[in-house]
Amino acid sequence: MLKLAWKGVLAHKLRLGLTAIAIVLGVAFVSGTLVFTDTLDRAFSSLFDEINATVDLYVRGETEFSNEVVPIPAEILDDVKEVPGIGNAAGTVQGFAQFIDAAGDPVGGQAPTFGFSWVPGAEDLSVLTIKEGRPPAASDEVMVDAGTAAMNDFTIGQEVDVILVTGTERFEIVGFAGFGEEDNILGATIAIFDEPTAFRVFDSPGEYASISAVGDGSVALETLVDRVNDILPDGFEAVTAETQGEDDQAEFQEAIGFLNTALLVFAGIAVLVGGFIIYNTFSIIIAQRMKEMALLRAVGATNRQVTRMVVVEAVLVGLVASAIGVVAGVGLTWLIRSGFDAAGVGFPQGPLTIRPNTVIVGMIVGLAVTLFSAVIPARQAARIPPVAAISEATVGGPRSLRVRAIAASVLTIIGALVLFLGLFVAGSNVLQLVGLGAVIVFFGIAGLSPLIARRTARIIGAPLPAMYGVTGTLARENSVRRPRRTAATASALMIGVAVVSVVAILASSIKQSITEQITQNFGTVDFQIQSSAFADPSLVGVSPAVSEELATLPEVAVVSPMRFGLWKNEDDSERQLISVDPATLESVFVAEVQAGQVADLATGGVMLQADTAEDLEVGIGDTVTMQFPLTGTEQVPVVATFTGEGLSAYLIGNESFSERFSQKLDFMVFVNLADGVAQDQGRAAVEAVLEPYPNVELSNQAEFIENQKAQIDILLTVINALLLLAILIALLGIANTLALSIFERKRELGLLRAVGMTRRQVRRMIRWEAVITALYGALLGLVLGIALGWAVVSALSDEGLSFGFPYQLLITYVIAAAIGGVVASVWPSFRGARTNVLEAISYE
Amino acid sequence: MTAGMSTASTLQTAARVRDGVKVYGTGHAAVTALAGLSVDFQRGEFTAIMGPSGSGKSTLLHCVAGLDELTSGSVFIGETELGLLKDRDLTLLRREKVGFIFQAFNLIPTLSAAENITLPLDIAGRKPDDAWYRTVVDTVGLGDRLTHRPTELSGGQQQRVAAARALVSRPEIIFADEPSGNLDSTSAGELLGFMEQAVKDLGQTIVMVTHDPVAASYADRIVFLADGEVVGELRDPTQDSVLDKMKQLGG
Ligand SMILES: Nc1ncnc2c1ncn2[C@@H]1O[C@H](COP(=O)(O)OP(=O)(O)OP(=O)(O)O)[C@@H](O)[C@H]1O
Ligand SMILES: [Mg+2]
C-alpha cells in the first residue's frame, strides 16, 4: 500500500504540488517567525553576556515596570565605591536624545532614541565601546553610535543638532561608539555625552540610571553583593551581573514575545486557510480516482486499506511540503534581515538561530494540518463500493444534507456562543475566546455553505447570461456544479476576507470615535502638538522646553501639556493614565465635571471617568489602589469625576506624575490662542517656537483628526500586509480547484471547442467561473466579517467605540477578491483553452 | 464518382479531400492512418464510411471536419481550404459550417436539451431561425423533454438531441462518428431515420462513419476504406448489397 500511495503521489504531482504550496507557505510563515524571534533573542542574550562579562554587579532601583528606570542618587555611587571589596564602580546617566540630520529631519523615532553618559576611566564597566574618534570630554561634544553615523553620513568634527528634554542644542561629533561588536541595535540611535552634560541635558541632575561595579577579587561575588545591599537605602538593590543579564533578557523576551504571538496568529490564519485547500484537493482527487479506488476494492483491498493509502499519501505530501516550508521559513528570515540591513536598521549579524523546536513545530504544524484535512476525503474514499469500478453510476453521492445542516448549525451556534462569552461575559482570556469562537464559526459556516452555494452563486452569476450568452450561462452553471467543492474553495477565501473586514470595521470604528471625541471634547482647542512619529508613547514626545517657551508668547493664552503613563491596578494588570495640568485642563478638555474639583488634582489625587468610578464603586473621598513605577503602590484619593471621552479614564496632575514616572517628555501639548489673535498669525508664532523641534508636529483640530486617522491607516496597512498571505493561499486554492475541475471536464471542453467555441470564449467561461467562486467566498467573508466586527465593536462600546462602517473599503475588498479570482483563473483557463479536442472526444 | 471527380462539379461538393496523408508519430512508431486518399462529399447526400477497425475512418472524419490536421494534402469545406486557417478561423468555420454527432458524450450536462440544441448558435451569438428551429425540434420528437438535462434523457434521446444540435445551425455538412454505436436497434433506427429525413426533406449533407451494415443502408452512398485508402464505393445500398460488398472487399 505504501508503494501504491507513493505512486498516487507521483501520478498527481502537479495537483498535489499546488496543495503543497499552501502548506509550504503556511509552514514557512510559522517557522520564519520562530527563526526571526529566536535569532533576535539569541543575539541579544549574547550581547548581554558580552556586556556583563566585565561587570560583577549592578545597583538598580526596584520597580515592577519594565520600561521605567528608577533614578539613583549620585551619593549612592560614592557609598558603593566605599564598600570593602569593590574595585571600581561607575554610574550611567540615561535620557532622551534625538539627532537632527542635515536635511533638518529627526533621526529615528520609530526605534528608541537614547542618550547616555560616558564615564572616563571605567570603559570596562560600560555597555559602550569606542569604534572611532574619542569620547566626549566637553559640554558641547557628543559621540554617536556607528550605525546611526553611517546611515546619516555623520563625520567626526561635524556639528549636529540634538533634541533634548531641555531643548535643542548643537554639539560637535567627536567619536563613534558601538555595543560590543555591533554598530547599532535594531535601529536605536544613541547619543553619548560627558557626565556633567548628561546630568544637565537629560534633566536628571545627580541621578544615575544604573551603577555597575567590579570587585577587587578579595571576596566572593555573593558576599560583595550582600555587602552592597547592606548599605543601600530602601527601594534600591544590588544584583549580580548574571541576574541583571537574565532580567534584561526576560524583559526583551517579553517584548519580543508579543511580536512572536502576533506573527504566529497571522501564520495560524494562513495555515487554517491552507487546511481548507488541502481538504478540497484531496476530495477532488479522490472523486477523480473513484474508478481506481473501486478497482482496488474489487481486487480485494479492504476499505481500511484504501483509507490508509489516502492517509499515507497525505503524510508524504505533508512531510515533503513541511520540510520545504521550514527551509523556506529560514530563507524568509534571511530575506527580512537583508531588508533590515538595507534599511540601515541594525539587525544582529551572525548566523540565524534555528532551534530544533522550530523544525519540530514547523513539521508538526504542516503534517497535522495535512493529515487533519485529508481525514474526511480518506473516509470518502473508503466508502466507494467495488461496483463503482464497472458501473457508470455516480456512487458515494452526497450524504444527507440534513445531517450536515444540523451539524454545521450546531457548530456555528457553539462558535457564536464562545464569541459572545469572550466579548461580553469573560473578563480574561478575551482574545483567546474570541479567536476560538471565530475559528469554530468559520468551520460552521464552511459546513453550511454548500447548502446555499448553489442558490447564491446563481444569483451572483445572474447577469452573466445576458452579458456573454451561453458562455456566461456555462460559467454560472459550472460554478455551482459541485456545491461542496465551490463551498470549500470559497471558504478559504471567506476566512481571509472575514478577518480583513473585521480589521477594517474596527479601524473605521476607531477613526469615527476619534473624530467624535475630538470634536466633542476638544472643540475649544486651537492647536495640538504631538510627536510626529507613531511610536510607543514611552519613547517619544514633546520636550517640556516647548511648553515653557510657548507660555511666554503673547499670542498664546493657554498651554496645557499632558503626559502618558502606564500603572498597575490591584490585579497587577497594566492600565493607562494621562497626567494633566489642573489649572488649564478645563479650557482644553470639554468634559462635564460630575463631582469634586479639578484643581484638587494638584494634591496628588486622581480624577475618574464617571463610568469607571461606578464600576469601581468609588466616589469623591474614596481611594483607588494604584501602583506607579517610581513610588510603588499608593492609595490615591479620588478628587473628581467627569463624563466625556478622549482622554484616559484616569487623570492625575502633572506634578505628581513627575514623582511617579520617569518619563520626562510631554505626550501632547494643547494650545489656545489669546483673544483677538488670528489663526494664521498664532500659528506662525507657535511654529517659530517649534522650529528647532522637527520631531513634533503642530496641528489644528481638522489636521489632528486627519493625523490620528492616518495612524490608524498605517496600522491597518501593516495588518493587511500580514493577512495577505492567507488571501494568496486562498486564491491559490481557487486556481487549484479550477485546474482540477478543468481536468475533469476535458471532454466537455473538447466538445465545446468542436462545436465552435473559440479559445477566448473558453478562457472567458473559466475566468467567470473563478470570479463567481471568489465573489461567493468574498461575500460570505464580508457578511461574517461585518457580523464579527459589529460584535467586537459592541463589546467595546463601553470604551467609547461606536460602529463605523467602511463601506467603500469593503466594496474595494470584494472587487479585489473578484480580480483575485481572475488572476487565479489565468493558468487554468489557459490550460482549458488548450484542451485537445480529439483527445477529449475520443471514446474510451 | 470517386477521386477522379472533376473540379467542374465542385459547386456540388460540400467537402473534399485531396491526396490526404495522415501519419501519427515519427520514426519507428509512425503509423500511417491516411495513405494519400482523395474523396468528395456531395451536397444533399447522406454518405456512410465503412471499413475495418483501424482503417482510418475516424481519422478521415476528424481531418475533414477541421478537428485535426493532415500531414500532407488538402481539405476543403465548400471552397475554404482548412490547412490555411488559424485556430480561431478554424473554430469559427466549425461553428458556422460544420455539425457534429459523436458516438458518446455529445451534450453539455449543465445545459437543458433545448439549450444544447442551440449551443453552436448561442456560442456564435446568433439567434436560431424560429421556423427552422421548430422544424428541427419537431423532427427530433422530444416534446416536453426539451427542458430536461441530458442525464434525464435516454441514450437514444441524447443522440437525437445531438443530431438536432448539428442541424439547427444549418451547417454545410454534418459529421457523425458511429452515432448509433451505443444504441439499441430501436433507438438506432429512430436516430438514423431522423438523419435520413434531414437529408431528404431538409436537404442536409451528412457524412457518417459506421460499422453497422444496417446503419449504412440508410445512406445514399457508402465509401469503403482499408489501410487509409478508398477501396470501394456503393450507391443506394441495401443491407444485402452492403454485406455482399463487405464480403467481396474482405476476401
Ligand atoms: N492519436 C493517434 N496516435 C497514433 N496513432 C493513431 C492515433 N489515432 C489513430 N491512430 C492510428 O491510426 C490508424 C487509424 O485509426 P482510426 O481511429 O482512424 O481508425 P478507425 O477506422 O476509426 O477504427 P475504428 O473502427 O476502430 O474506430 C489506426 O492504426 C490507429 O491505431
Ligand atoms: Mg473510429
Side-chain angles (χ1 to χ4, degrees):
Chain A
M1 276 288 152
L2 181 68
K3 206 167 124 199
L4 257 178
W6 184 240
K7 289 231 164 99
V9 170
L10 288 183
H12 303 93
K13 281 193 290 288
L14 192 64
R15 290 178 252 176
L16 289 172
L18 279 168
T19 314
I21 294 178
I23 310 172
V24 168
L25 291 177
V27 171
F29 203 156
V30 171
S31 57
T33 300
L34 294 176
V35 173
F36 182 73
T37 47
D38 285 347
T39 303
L40 280 181
D41 195 26
R42 171 130 114 208
F44 280 84
S45 84
S46 62
L47 183 68
F48 291 133
D49 287 350
E50 190 183 336
I51 291 164
N52 295 332
T54 56
V55 177
D56 285 338
L57 63 87
Y58 286 98
V59 173
R60 63 189 187 189
E62 291 172 76
T63 177
E64 298 286 317
F65 294 78
S66 50
N67 270 333
E68 300 271 349
V69 180
V70 181
I72 306 171
E75 305 86 70
I76 290 185
L77 176 62
D78 299 333
D79 296 344
V80 169
K81 279 181 176 165
E82 299 300 312
V83 173
I86 288 289
N88 193 8
T92 306
V93 194
Q94 187 188 326
F96 170 85
Q98 186 169 17
F99 290 100
I100 298 175
D101 68 13
D105 294 324
V107 175
Q110 298 297 339
T113 47
F114 286 131
F116 288 116
S117 64
W118 183 263
V119 190
E123 279 78 7
D124 55 345
L125 289 176
S126 168
V127 178
L128 304 161
T129 52
I130 301 169
K131 292 266 170 183
E132 212 182 316
R134 60 171 179 82
S139 65
D140 59 352
E141 291 179 353
V142 69
M143 189 152 77
V144 54
D145 71 275
T148 302
M151 268 303 285
N152 295 280
D153 297 327
F154 288 157
T155 52
I156 290 177
Q158 176 190 341
E159 302 228 302
V160 65
D161 285 333
V162 185
I163 308 163
L164 300 155
V165 176
T166 49
T168 298
E169 274 183 55
R170 181 154 296 188
F171 295 87
E172 183 192 340
I173 298 176
V174 294
F176 299 152
F179 306 82
E181 294 292 302
E182 307 285 345
D183 283 350
N184 179 276
I185 299 175
L186 284 179
T189 71
I190 310 291
I192 301 147
F193 306 94
D194 71 0
E195 191 174 279
T197 312
F199 280 139
R200 177 175 62 82
V201 299
F202 301 153
D203 189 26
S204 31
E207 288 174 348
Y208 292 117
S210 73
I211 292 172
S212 46
V214 285
D216 58 9
S218 60
V219 289
L221 182 56
E222 281 68 35
T223 319
L224 195 56
V225 170
D226 287 345
R227 282 187 190 167
V228 175
N229 268 326
D230 284 344
I231 63 122
L232 287 176
D234 268 359
F236 300 93
E237 61 179 347
V239 293
T240 60
E242 199 185 332
T243 308
Q244 179 69 35
E246 280 163 9
D247 290 354
D248 286 345
Q249 185 74 2
E251 195 178 299
F252 181 73
Q253 269 168 353
E254 196 184 310
I256 216 153
F258 174 74
L259 181 71
N260 200 18
T261 311
L263 287 176
L264 284 179
V265 165
F266 290 104
I269 295 173
V271 168
L272 183 67
V273 170
F276 274 89
I277 292 175
I278 297 159
Y279 158 75
N280 211 22
T281 310
F282 271 97
S283 294
I284 298 174
I285 290 179
I286 279 156
Q288 291 178 354
R289 285 162 65 194
M290 201 160 67
K291 288 232 174 240
E292 180 193 329
M293 305 273 181
L295 194 66
L296 280 175
R297 297 273 284 116
V299 298
T302 62
N303 48 15
R304 256 255 182 86
Q305 281 173 309
V306 172
T307 308
R308 209 181 305 148
M309 186 182 79
V310 177
V311 168
V312 171
E313 275 188 35
V315 170
L316 290 174
V317 173
L319 272 179
V320 173
S322 310
I324 298 175
V326 170
V327 175
V330 176
L332 190 74
T333 319
W334 186 83
L335 266 180
I336 292 176
R337 181 159 76 172
S338 311
F340 271 62
D341 284 350
V345 177
F347 193 96
Q349 298 303 314
L352 293 175
T353 306
I354 305 158
R355 287 191 305 150
N357 250 350
T358 304
V359 179
I360 294 169
V361 168
M363 292 300 289
I364 287 180
V365 165
L367 256 182
V369 170
T370 319
L371 261 180
F372 190 71
S373 313
V375 163
I376 296 175
R379 293 198 37 220
Q380 282 167 0
R383 278 205 309 270
I384 298 172
V387 67
I390 35 164
S391 81
E392 266 293 309
T394 42
V395 274
R399 266 184 304 164
S400 158
L401 281 180
R402 187 188 291 171
V403 174
R404 168 183 274 264
I406 293 171
S409 306
V410 168
L411 209 57
T412 311
I413 292 167
I414 292 176
L417 281 177
V418 174
L419 259 171
F420 181 83
L421 213 67
L423 288 174
F424 297 100
V425 183
S428 54
N429 295 333
V430 170
L431 286 177
Q432 285 90 332
L433 282 174
V434 169
L436 180 71
V439 169
I440 299 176
V441 168
F442 285 150
F443 277 108
I445 301 287
L448 282 174
S449 89
L451 304 176
I452 53 167
R454 185 163 269 158
R455 219 167 303 152
T456 317
R458 282 233 171 90
I459 295 172
I460 296 171
L464 285 179
M467 284 161 69
Y468 299 113
V470 74
T471 315
T473 312
L474 284 168
R476 191 187 63 181
E477 291 308 309
N478 286 338
S479 73
V480 294
R481 214 158 176 179
R482 300 279 166 84
R484 271 158 208 258
R485 210 180 271 184
T486 313
T489 312
S491 296
L493 190 59
M494 166 188 87
I495 296 175
V497 172
V499 177
V500 174
S501 306
V502 170
V503 173
I505 288 172
L506 267 179
S508 150
S509 302
I510 294 172
K511 282 200 236 173
Q512 178 159 325
S513 318
I514 287 174
T515 312
E516 283 168 8
Q517 288 167 9
I518 292 176
T519 41
Q520 276 171 22
N521 298 115
F522 300 92
T524 58
V525 174
D526 286 322
F527 295 110
Q528 281 95 356
I529 299 164
Q530 209 180 2
S531 160
S532 52
F534 179 39
D536 182 349
S538 71
L539 296 174
V540 295
V542 186
S543 301
V546 169
S547 22
E548 282 163 28
E549 284 180 57
L550 286 175
T552 63
L553 290 181
E555 290 90 345
V556 170
V558 177
V559 179
S560 186
M562 300 196 179
R563 290 187 182 179
F564 172 91
L566 292 174
W567 56 281
K568 288 182 181 172
N569 68 8
E570 273 176 315
D571 306 330
D572 218 28
S573 40
E574 276 191 350
R575 293 273 182 275
Q576 304 179 345
L577 64 73
I578 296 276
S579 86
V580 297
D581 173 21
T584 53
L585 178 68
E586 281 171 295
S587 47
V588 293
F589 180 51
V590 186
E592 195 183 325
V593 177
Q594 273 200 329
Q597 295 293 327
V598 179
D600 289 347
L601 279 176
T603 63
V606 63
M607 174 158 151
L608 295 179
Q609 198 169 37
D611 293 342
T612 309
E614 209 169 289
D615 287 347
L616 295 174
E617 294 175 358
V618 292
I620 310 298
D622 295 332
T623 59
V624 183
T625 310
M626 299 174 87
Q627 192 190 356
F628 299 111
L630 304 191
T631 52
T633 305
E634 289 181 42
Q635 298 301 322
V636 184
V638 178
V639 295
T641 59
F642 67 98
T643 53
E645 315 266 0
L647 289 176
S648 169
Y650 297 83
L651 305 181
I652 64 171
N654 278 342
E655 269 170 62
S656 59
F657 182 91
S658 301
E659 289 158 20
R660 290 163 170 163
F661 294 87
S662 58
Q663 173 64 280
K664 293 194 160 61
L665 295 170
D666 292 332
F667 175 54
M668 247 192 230
V669 179
F670 293 98
V671 179
N672 279 349
L673 299 177
D675 282 343
V677 177
Q679 283 276 322
D680 44 354
Q681 185 196 348
R683 183 170 198 135
V686 174
E687 267 171 355
V689 171
L690 294 182
E691 175 75 41
Y693 303 94
N695 62 328
V696 301
E697 201 166 48
L698 177 73
S699 50
N700 62 25
Q701 206 171 108
E703 292 163 342
F704 184 58
I705 290 172
E706 283 319 304
N707 288 346
Q708 299 286 312
K709 285 183 176 176
Q711 289 177 2
I712 302 293
D713 284 335
I714 292 172
L715 211 60
L716 188 69
T717 311
V718 171
I719 293 177
N720 281 348
L722 288 168
L723 286 171
L724 200 62
L725 188 68
I727 307 250
L728 277 182
I729 293 178
L731 292 177
L732 196 75
I734 293 183
N736 200 13
T737 307
L738 213 52
L740 292 169
S741 305
I742 297 301
F743 178 80
E744 219 170 46
R745 277 191 245 134
K746 225 159 58 180
R747 282 177 166 276
E748 199 175 312
L749 288 170
L751 179 67
L752 287 169
R753 291 279 290 132
V755 300
M757 188 175 265
T758 59
R759 286 196 171 141
R760 178 200 284 222
Q761 283 174 311
V762 173
R763 282 197 297 268
R764 179 180 292 155
M765 178 177 79
I766 297 170
R767 184 159 60 237
W768 280 102
E769 184 180 341
V771 169
I772 292 176
T773 309
L775 278 177
Y776 177 54
L779 288 175
L780 271 186
L782 194 67
V783 171
L784 209 55
I786 291 172
L788 279 175
W790 179 80
V792 173
V793 172
S794 314
L796 293 174
S797 63
D798 278 358
E799 321 267 314
L801 206 57
S802 53
F803 191 68
F805 193 63
Y807 62 94
Q808 273 171 322
L809 194 58
L810 295 180
I811 292 172
T812 314
Y813 288 166
V814 173
I815 294 171
I819 294 171
V822 172
V823 174
S825 75
V826 167
W827 188 71
S829 64
F830 175 79
R831 282 279 303 253
R834 297 253 132 202
T835 303
N836 183 330
V837 181
L838 286 177
E839 213 173 279
I841 60 171
S842 66
Y843 185 69
E844 287 163 4
Chain B
M1 270 250 253
T2 53
M5 190 81 196
S6 76
T7 46
S9 63
T10 47
L11 264 183
Q12 298 301 313
T13 318
R16 61 197 148 98
V17 179
R18 288 290 171 271
D19 307 322
V21 175
K22 178 71 184 180
V23 181
Y24 288 110
T26 50
H28 288 303
V31 178
T32 306
L34 298 180
L37 67 70
S38 298
V39 65
D40 288 26
F41 299 109
Q42 298 304 318
R43 241 177 219 150
E45 212 170 56
F46 188 175
T47 309
I49 300 176
M50 296 193 76
S53 190
S55 57
K57 303 182 296 291
S58 294
T59 306
L60 174 63
L61 205 71
H62 294 155
C63 290
V64 192
L67 294 174
D68 203 355
E69 286 175 3
L70 283 176
T71 310
S72 73
S74 47
V75 180
F76 294 84
I77 299 255
E79 281 315 295
T80 314
E81 184 175 355
L82 303 192
L84 304 175
L85 299 181
K86 291 208 174 58
D87 178 78
R88 187 181 156 74
D89 295 324
L90 206 54
T91 306
L92 296 183
L93 175 120
R94 282 203 303 270
R95 191 198 260 174
E96 306 289 329
K97 303 214 161 133
V98 181
F100 291 97
I101 310 168
F102 301 109
Q103 182 174 359
F105 203 79
N106 261 304
L107 306 179
I108 301 294
T110 44
L111 300 179
S112 69
E115 285 170 327
N116 264 290
I117 292 175
T118 54
L119 181 63
L121 290 173
D122 288 340
I123 289 175
R126 282 199 282 146
K127 281 252 160 285
D129 172 345
D130 264 343
W132 177 245
Y133 175 76
R134 283 257 60 92
T135 315
V136 171
V137 164
D138 288 346
T139 326
V140 180
L142 272 179
D144 60 347
R145 314 233 82 191
L146 271 176
T147 53
H148 289 235
R149 295 266 172 117
T151 46
E152 298 158 350
L153 301 176
S154 75
Q157 286 169 332
Q158 289 184 23
Q159 289 303 80
R160 275 186 283 151
V161 171
R165 181 194 64 209
L167 279 171
V168 81
S169 58
R170 289 206 220 232
E172 193 97 343
I173 188 163
I174 293 174
F175 295 101
D177 196 348
E178 305 189 39
S180 58
N182 281 354
L183 303 181
D184 63 53
S185 54
T186 321
S187 305
E190 278 174 17
L191 174 70
L192 290 160
F194 174 56
M195 289 167 70
E196 189 181 30
Q197 205 181 332
V199 174
K200 294 236 160 59
D201 302 351
L202 311 174
Q204 189 62 54
T205 311
I206 298 182
V207 177
M208 170 181 77
V209 169
T210 183
H211 280 285
D212 178 9
V214 182
S217 66
Y218 282 84
D220 300 320
R221 168 198 177 211
I222 302 179
V223 174
F224 290 93
L225 292 194
D227 298 329
E229 285 181 277
V230 178
V231 292
E233 210 188 303
L234 199 60
R235 280 232 147 251
D236 300 322
T238 63
Q239 281 186 41
D240 292 339
S241 67
V242 176
L243 286 171
D244 285 346
K245 184 79 179 179
M246 283 171 76
K247 262 187 210 135
Q248 177 198 329
L249 287 172

